[in-house]
Amino acid sequence: HISRTPLREALRKLERDGLVEYVVRRGVVVRAFTIADVEEIYTIRNALEMLTLPAIVRNATAEDIRSLRALLQEMDAFDEAGDIEALSPRARAFHTQLTRLNRILRVIESQDQYITRFSALSIARETRRHAAHREHHQLVDLVEQRDLESFEKLMRKHIERSKETCLLALEESKLKHNEAQK
């Protein structure tokens, strides 16, 4: 129950964002991510988030800390249960809520479609999932303590580890795909 014009516009936006591509005789298909895509997006995310950390530490209120802790408590249950489908969007929501403590973050949010998909790849790996969740708790502690130096150091490691895990998952996915093609 939607007309063609808004549908075409939506598909054009997705194509501009690199999420879909037009394939002759097939139509619009979801575009597979490359290692270069992951490297580029995480590099951009890391640079932008590092610029925002001082404002996050400076501007976080007691209510912000309570809200982050409430989200983490919700995530704890999903982490313990191994419920990746429920944990993944909440992990993304955690980072979104954390970065929204700074008002200039629309640029990061514009990359959210990529980060959401990459985050799901990273969280699906059990070893990274538990470590990342512990890091989320530590990040909130550091914000509450107003420890900018430790917060920056941990956030940089957190993003880099997520990128490495995502790249590993992507490589494994490509290997499985190649083997299935044989």
Side-chain angles (χ1 to χ4, degrees):
H1 301 289
I2 187 169
S3 67
R4 291 180 184 184
T5 302
L7 184 59
R8 278 191 207 113
E9 288 303 313
L11 290 172
R12 282 190 189 113
K13 182 185 181 326
L14 290 171
E15 183 181 29
R16 264 193 323 269
D17 291 344
L19 297 173
V20 300
E21 60 187 330
Y22 284 97
V23 177
V24 178
R25 295 189 193 104
R26 286 187 63 203
V28 179
V29 296
V30 175
R31 189 177 149 271
F33 288 113
T34 65
I35 290 173
D37 291 333
V38 173
E39 290 279 356
E40 181 179 311
I41 293 299
Y42 271 97
T43 298
I44 291 167
R45 176 185 171 203
N46 195 4
L48 292 172
E49 284 198 16
M50 289 300 118
L51 292 172
T52 68
L53 299 185
I56 290 170
V57 169
R58 184 177 55 250
N59 296 335
T61 65
E63 178 56 35
D64 294 326
I65 300 295
R66 275 192 297 279
S67 178
L68 286 164
R69 289 202 189 282
L71 181 56
L72 284 170
Q73 191 172 23
E74 185 180 335
M75 292 167 63
D76 287 343
F78 293 117
D79 182 45
E80 287 177 30
D83 188 345
I84 297 165
E85 287 189 29
L87 183 61
S88 183
R90 285 168 178 85
R92 192 66 226 126
F94 172 83
H95 281 278
T96 299
Q97 188 172 339
L98 192 61
T99 56
R100 282 194 178 146
L101 296 177
N102 186 328
R103 294 170 200 40
I104 61 166
L105 295 171
R106 287 196 174 86
V107 176
I108 291 175
E109 290 177 358
S110 73
Q111 300 299 313
D112 200 51
Q113 298 126 339
Y114 294 107
I115 297 299
T116 298
R117 290 174 72 184
F118 296 162
S119 178
L121 279 174
S122 183
I123 287 173
R125 302 188 63 84
E126 187 171 347
T127 54
R128 180 65 196 140
R129 179 174 65 244
H130 297 304
H133 191 59
R134 282 192 305 275
E135 290 165 5
H136 290 156
H137 281 278
Q138 293 168 346
L139 287 167
V140 174
D141 290 342
L142 293 170
V143 170
E144 185 175 42
Q145 296 163 13
R146 309 286 189 220
D147 185 348
L148 177 60
E149 184 178 335
S150 297
F151 183 62
E152 287 176 332
K153 185 177 176 182
L154 180 57
M155 183 63 85
R156 186 172 283 112
K157 284 182 182 178
H158 181 76
I159 293 170
E160 187 60 31
R161 288 176 186 144
S162 292
K163 178 180 88 172
E164 290 168 4
T165 304
C166 184
L167 288 169
L168 182 61
L170 189 61
E171 283 291 325
E172 288 175 0
S173 175
K174 284 186 178 194
L175 285 174
K176 286 179 186 176
H177 178 74
N178 289 342
E179 287 177 15
Q181 295 292 329
K182 291 180 184 180

